[in-house]
Amino acid sequence: MIPEPQDLNVPELRDRAVAAARGDAAFDVLICGATLADLATGELRPADIGLVGPLIASVHPAGQRMDATEIIDATGLIAAPGLIDTHMHVESSMVTPETYAAAVLPRGVTTIVWDPHEFGNVAGLAGVEYALDSAVRSALRILPLAPSCVPSAPGFETTGADFVPEVIADMLERPGIHGLAELMDMRGVTSRAERMRGIVQTGLASGKPLCGHARGLTGAALQAYAAAGVSSDHEITSAGDLMEKLRAGLTIELRGSHPYLLPECAAALQALPQMPPTVTFCSDDVFPDDLLASGAVDEMLRRMIAHGLDPMRALQAASLNAAIRLGRPDLGLIAPGKRADIVLLDDLETFRARHVLRDGAAIAATGTGSRFPDAFLETCALPAFRAEDFILRADGETVRLATISRPRFTEWGEALAEVVDGVVLPPEGVTMIAVINRHGGNPAPKLGFLENWGQWDGAFATTISHDSHNLTVFGKRPEDMVAAANAVIEARGGMAVARAGAPVAVLPLPVAGLVSDAPLPQVAAGLAALRDAMDQVVSWEPPYLTFKALVGATLACNAGPHQTDLGIADSHAGILLPSPILPEGSG
């Protein structure tokens, strides 16, 4: 099989397309009566579209020709290029790639750029091979990347693999790998630490794109990050951050997973004289209930238009700009010589797809049958725990605790805790967090304390815990924490909520402890029930304290303290506290 995009250059295919364009042969498919969303000119104009196999042969005035094997009546519909998601993780939707494809293709998403570092952190190279195999078999165009940061914070956490520069160099040589995935070890990149220097240089030598994770970088640090060779970022935190990164020459992968930022970003982009060619859209992380109800990058496009971005600018970001970023001149436009990834829809504002063509053919039923290594079902082989395992012991009557204060943009905090019968009691307003290594190391829970994370009445356990995906447990009382943890272990991975010492909701995710092979509606319903149970455990205070914040509490590559299986880690400051108990006299 000839790989893309060279498959369009078979002489016989081009011969047929040229003949059809001249009018000397019929089209295979003719789309009639559509209004073309022309991203080259910014026009919405009437046009008919003639296809030969996977190739667009002609875009010509409406009604000019009717010679075709198949005619699609698109009267009253808009013809737009297929959408391209420039940065995402299939694993975040908690379903297999086959199920994910079946969910997004009918919505007009024809291409995704998948960073499989979640599978990589759990299953190592087998996780990347799984992504490559899924891409070959998928009806959706899946472009896997080589995970750059496994682990995301070396020395501060334990994961299931260690992708050193030599391993990544081998991955990048694979034709199915389309670039180097998000470089999350920002400090390592900008300090030119030996490991990250080697990984970055390996990426540059491959000639493939280097994708970024420039969370919180500004000024000289941002300039240094870009100067290292990183060319994109999806970690936008404000409109000002967006503009600074655009001015630094980075391609922006503006993500839908942080919707509270989109109004100000839409206003900033609309105020510019033109849509920057370096703005693309991505979904990043979409939970299964959101995927089922709203979609992925198609929902991102709808939100940006609803917030005031011109629809054609939004479509440009979601297709043409993305194609340019990927170095895929065959994608992103409806024009002769391009690939026939076409969406017929009612209007751009709702982007409700009525007909989707991928490579010139109507999308087939993709099914939900999945194929993965048997070993993926054995990644949460932990012993059952006892309540005593979630108790922190100390001498004396009081201790000073180092705390992780507030979600997302974490800060160091400090709290005074009472010690009763040798047991440290969490102070009022302080919640416990425990991280348990599930990758073959010491499985003893490593305990920490969260401040300003809400008032808890129960516990939550999860093996989706970025990016190490160790078993992480939150709670106020040990009896709730052990109930949630053991429920997840029994499910061979997943999420669980417990109250009054018993589990009340469990979402099994047995495939690498990350996804389920069940149908999307079943997984979505399971997560929705789990969210409802969590609403009885803790009150959320958006935008920062949300359910999604729980799976990022261990993301040690980001600035500030995070709990890992090794202790409280602040990789940017070079701090790792094995115990949260501060020694007397420390500051």
Side-chain angles (χ1 to χ4, degrees), residues 410-421:
T410 59
E411 298 175 344
W412 286 97
E414 188 176 310
L416 187 65
E418 185 180 1
V419 179
V420 177
D421 296 330

PDB file of all heavy atoms in Angstrom, residues 410-421:
ATOM      1  N   THR A 410      -0.438  25.007  40.841  1.00  0.00           N
ATOM      2  CA  THR A 410      -0.191  24.644  42.229  1.00  0.00           C
ATOM      3  C   THR A 410       0.887  25.517  42.858  1.00  0.00           C
ATOM      4  O   THR A 410       1.799  26.006  42.182  1.00  0.00           O
ATOM      5  CB  THR A 410       0.218  23.168  42.345  1.00  0.00           C
ATOM      6  OG1 THR A 410       1.397  22.957  41.555  1.00  0.00           O
ATOM      7  CG2 THR A 410      -0.889  22.259  41.852  1.00  0.00           C
ATOM      8  N   GLU A 411       0.771  25.675  44.165  1.00  0.00           N
ATOM      9  CA  GLU A 411       1.736  26.439  44.951  1.00  0.00           C
ATOM     10  C   GLU A 411       2.070  25.666  46.219  1.00  0.00           C
ATOM     11  O   GLU A 411       1.285  24.829  46.680  1.00  0.00           O
ATOM     12  CB  GLU A 411       1.151  27.806  45.340  1.00  0.00           C
ATOM     13  CG  GLU A 411       0.819  28.702  44.157  1.00  0.00           C
ATOM     14  CD  GLU A 411       0.127  29.982  44.596  1.00  0.00           C
ATOM     15  OE1 GLU A 411      -0.355  30.026  45.756  1.00  0.00           O
ATOM     16  OE2 GLU A 411       0.064  30.925  43.793  1.00  0.00           O
ATOM     17  N   TRP A 412       3.239  25.972  46.772  1.00  0.00           N
ATOM     18  CA  TRP A 412       3.606  25.387  48.053  1.00  0.00           C
ATOM     19  C   TRP A 412       2.801  26.045  49.165  1.00  0.00           C
ATOM     20  O   TRP A 412       2.601  27.254  49.173  1.00  0.00           O
ATOM     21  CB  TRP A 412       5.094  25.571  48.333  1.00  0.00           C
ATOM     22  CG  TRP A 412       5.988  24.683  47.521  1.00  0.00           C
ATOM     23  CD1 TRP A 412       6.645  25.003  46.369  1.00  0.00           C
ATOM     24  CD2 TRP A 412       6.301  23.322  47.794  1.00  0.00           C
ATOM     25  NE1 TRP A 412       7.361  23.931  45.912  1.00  0.00           N
ATOM     26  CE2 TRP A 412       7.175  22.881  46.772  1.00  0.00           C
ATOM     27  CE3 TRP A 412       5.943  22.433  48.811  1.00  0.00           C
ATOM     28  CZ2 TRP A 412       7.689  21.591  46.734  1.00  0.00           C
ATOM     29  CZ3 TRP A 412       6.454  21.131  48.775  1.00  0.00           C
ATOM     30  CH2 TRP A 412       7.309  20.720  47.747  1.00  0.00           C
ATOM     31  N   GLY A 413       2.322  25.218  50.076  1.00  0.00           N
ATOM     32  CA  GLY A 413       1.638  25.711  51.261  1.00  0.00           C
ATOM     33  C   GLY A 413       2.184  25.024  52.507  1.00  0.00           C
ATOM     34  O   GLY A 413       3.062  24.166  52.428  1.00  0.00           O
ATOM     35  N   GLU A 414       1.642  25.408  53.624  1.00  0.00           N
ATOM     36  CA  GLU A 414       2.095  24.827  54.893  1.00  0.00           C
ATOM     37  C   GLU A 414       0.921  24.804  55.860  1.00  0.00           C
ATOM     38  O   GLU A 414       0.087  25.723  55.876  1.00  0.00           O
ATOM     39  CB  GLU A 414       3.237  25.661  55.478  1.00  0.00           C
ATOM     40  CG  GLU A 414       3.897  25.041  56.690  1.00  0.00           C
ATOM     41  CD  GLU A 414       5.089  25.866  57.170  1.00  0.00           C
ATOM     42  OE1 GLU A 414       5.942  26.195  56.319  1.00  0.00           O
ATOM     43  OE2 GLU A 414       5.147  26.161  58.386  1.00  0.00           O
ATOM     44  N   ALA A 415       0.805  23.732  56.626  1.00  0.00           N
ATOM     45  CA  ALA A 415      -0.291  23.592  57.583  1.00  0.00           C
ATOM     46  C   ALA A 415       0.229  22.929  58.849  1.00  0.00           C
ATOM     47  O   ALA A 415       1.140  22.094  58.801  1.00  0.00           O
ATOM     48  CB  ALA A 415      -1.428  22.780  56.985  1.00  0.00           C
ATOM     49  N   LEU A 416      -0.349  23.285  59.976  1.00  0.00           N
ATOM     50  CA  LEU A 416      -0.028  22.678  61.264  1.00  0.00           C
ATOM     51  C   LEU A 416      -1.047  21.585  61.538  1.00  0.00           C
ATOM     52  O   LEU A 416      -2.260  21.832  61.511  1.00  0.00           O
ATOM     53  CB  LEU A 416      -0.054  23.715  62.385  1.00  0.00           C
ATOM     54  CG  LEU A 416       0.437  23.243  63.764  1.00  0.00           C
ATOM     55  CD1 LEU A 416       1.920  22.900  63.706  1.00  0.00           C
ATOM     56  CD2 LEU A 416       0.153  24.318  64.811  1.00  0.00           C
ATOM     57  N   ALA A 417      -0.585  20.366  61.774  1.00  0.00           N
ATOM     58  CA  ALA A 417      -1.484  19.229  61.961  1.00  0.00           C
ATOM     59  C   ALA A 417      -1.306  18.639  63.352  1.00  0.00           C
ATOM     60  O   ALA A 417      -0.194  18.560  63.884  1.00  0.00           O
ATOM     61  CB  ALA A 417      -1.212  18.164  60.903  1.00  0.00           C
ATOM     62  N   GLU A 418      -2.404  18.185  63.904  1.00  0.00           N
ATOM     63  CA  GLU A 418      -2.395  17.528  65.212  1.00  0.00           C
ATOM     64  C   GLU A 418      -2.022  16.062  65.038  1.00  0.00           C
ATOM     65  O   GLU A 418      -2.399  15.418  64.047  1.00  0.00           O
ATOM     66  CB  GLU A 418      -3.782  17.657  65.846  1.00  0.00           C
ATOM     67  CG  GLU A 418      -3.878  17.129  67.261  1.00  0.00           C
ATOM     68  CD  GLU A 418      -5.274  17.282  67.842  1.00  0.00           C
ATOM     69  OE1 GLU A 418      -6.176  17.790  67.129  1.00  0.00           O
ATOM     70  OE2 GLU A 418      -5.484  16.874  69.004  1.00  0.00           O
ATOM     71  N   VAL A 419      -1.284  15.516  66.017  1.00  0.00           N
ATOM     72  CA  VAL A 419      -0.913  14.106  66.029  1.00  0.00           C
ATOM     73  C   VAL A 419      -1.603  13.447  67.218  1.00  0.00           C
ATOM     74  O   VAL A 419      -1.411  13.862  68.359  1.00  0.00           O
ATOM     75  CB  VAL A 419       0.616  13.917  66.122  1.00  0.00           C
ATOM     76  CG1 VAL A 419       0.969  12.432  66.145  1.00  0.00           C
ATOM     77  CG2 VAL A 419       1.318  14.618  64.967  1.00  0.00           C
ATOM     78  N   VAL A 420      -2.415  12.442  66.976  1.00  0.00           N
ATOM     79  CA  VAL A 420      -3.144  11.738  68.030  1.00  0.00           C
ATOM     80  C   VAL A 420      -2.808  10.254  67.946  1.00  0.00           C
ATOM     81  O   VAL A 420      -3.024   9.623  66.899  1.00  0.00           O
ATOM     82  CB  VAL A 420      -4.665  11.945  67.890  1.00  0.00           C
ATOM     83  CG1 VAL A 420      -5.411  11.134  68.962  1.00  0.00           C
ATOM     84  CG2 VAL A 420      -5.023  13.416  67.999  1.00  0.00           C
ATOM     85  N   ASP A 421      -2.266   9.727  69.003  1.00  0.00           N
ATOM     86  CA  ASP A 421      -1.852   8.322  69.061  1.00  0.00           C
ATOM     87  C   ASP A 421      -0.918   7.972  67.909  1.00  0.00           C
ATOM     88  O   ASP A 421      -1.013   6.899  67.300  1.00  0.00           O
ATOM     89  CB  ASP A 421      -3.070   7.396  69.049  1.00  0.00           C
ATOM     90  CG  ASP A 421      -3.963   7.570  70.267  1.00  0.00           C
ATOM     91  OD1 ASP A 421      -3.426   7.920  71.335  1.00  0.00           O
ATOM     92  OD2 ASP A 421      -5.178   7.368  70.140  1.00  0.00           O
TER      93      ASP A 421
END
